[in-house]
Amino acid sequence: MAHHALSESAYDRRRLRQWSRGEARGAGLHRREMLGLLAAAGASLPLAGAASGAAAAAPGPSSAAPAAAPGIVKPLPPELFTVRGTNAETVFSSLRGTGVLTPADRFFVRNHTVTPRIDAAGWELTVWGSGLGGGPVRFSYDELRALPATTATAFVECAGNGRSFYTTQQGQQVSGTAWTLGAIGVARWRGVRLGEVLRRAGVTRHAVDVLPRGLDDEVVSAGVNLGRVRRPLPLAKALDDVLLAYEMNGEPLPPDHGHPVRLIVPGWVGISSVKWVGDIEVSDEPLYTPWNTDMYRLFGPEHPPQGSAPLTRQTLKSAFELDRDATLPARRPVRLTGRSWSGAAPVREVEISTDGGAHWRRARLHDVPRPGSWVRWSATWVPTAPGPAVLLARATDRAGRTQPDVSVHNTQGYLFDAVVRHPVTVV
């Protein structure tokens, strides 16, 4: 793990130098357009889907009719999802009792445009670029499935998961979708290692970047056509643990989750796990796209003027499987449950507080901590008196990191890692 972290850090530093010197290729956008987008990224705009801080909180279960999100195929009943624009956030309390794996019917959806409907029989993956020893190599769906298969349990989590708490908890303005903590899901993915496909395609020692691109619609932002979603991976990561997945929890990928084939990049921000992959460029020079220049980097007073390096590993979080503002009985045992996860290392310990942080005690872990997954935990609480209360949960991972009280602000609201205040009422 330490070796990977060192490699990623060196890669990030190199990328910043290349970008500042203009040595990288923009993969479809002129550098002048990139710089314009980069400048715009430093400005904070209100949370998408939230007219005020209070609007960012996730509602509890409801008997209302299922909500609709533009372009999402699966049903979105309100007891399972909160619709946020083109996206659907999992209501975290709906995960209680579901086991480690998130069922597909309640796995969150992050779409930049709309879910495409792609026939696997006509699908083809093209691997091409200057980092190969020959010309383009193509794989049909059946040919990909005939390659040696690998199964991995891993979470996919949006880089903006927890974003709304910058506003509601820290009083800081950020831009983007107003996620609470439900923009994450854990699944058992089956597919082919990306490294296996790259080797069969003839990757050379001169290759630097691997750029998967989705088959969803082109993204238009501020009047600029950004093209299809794509974000480069360093060759070392691409050859390590990245999967070209075609199954989720033992079934073919559902349309909203990447059918017929998607990338799974364990531990990294969700934008890296490109859905509906159609082609992969292997380049012998660094590549840049809007998804690692103006987006998915950290901007703000606490970060370098040009922004941080492109985001890679996810951060550390904990969440209760309980509706916010839930009503709990006084003087009766209440079993509190939740989940904690980290992109850097398995979670080692979870502590909870039932008095707003004055006292802490360990929760009981119900899973063996594993890289790329979460641990479920529980603790019993007997509320002694009616009135408002604040529940807290904080995790520590095996890399030695503990969730802080305050998350370092950035204008786009990425990587929120602070302990989240969970209000309840005792009656």
Side-chain angles (χ1 to χ4, degrees), residues 102-115:
T102 308
D105 70 349
R106 63 198 68 191
F107 205 102
F108 85 104
V109 180
R110 170 65 172 107
N111 279 357
H112 287 81
T113 56
V114 302
T115 295

Side-chain angles (χ1 to χ4, degrees), residues 65-69 71-83 88-89 103-109 117 254-257:
I72 293 180
V73 174
K74 69 183 178 183
L76 302 174
E79 66 272 18
L80 300 185
F81 292 103
T82 302
V83 174
E89 175 177 358
D105 70 349
R106 63 198 68 191
F107 205 102
F108 85 104
V109 180
R117 302 301 293 265
D256 294 313
H257 301 295

Side-chain angles (χ1 to χ4, degrees), residues 339-351:
R339 303 177 187 229
S340 298
W341 61 95
S342 170
V347 169
R348 174 172 59 83
E349 174 184 295
V350 178
E351 302 167 283

Side-chain angles (χ1 to χ4, degrees), residues 181-199:
L181 290 171
I184 180 174
V186 174
R188 181 174 293 119
W189 311 96
R190 185 170 185 265
V192 181
R193 286 194 179 274
L194 176 57
E196 175 76 16
V197 169
L198 295 178
R199 281 187 284 269

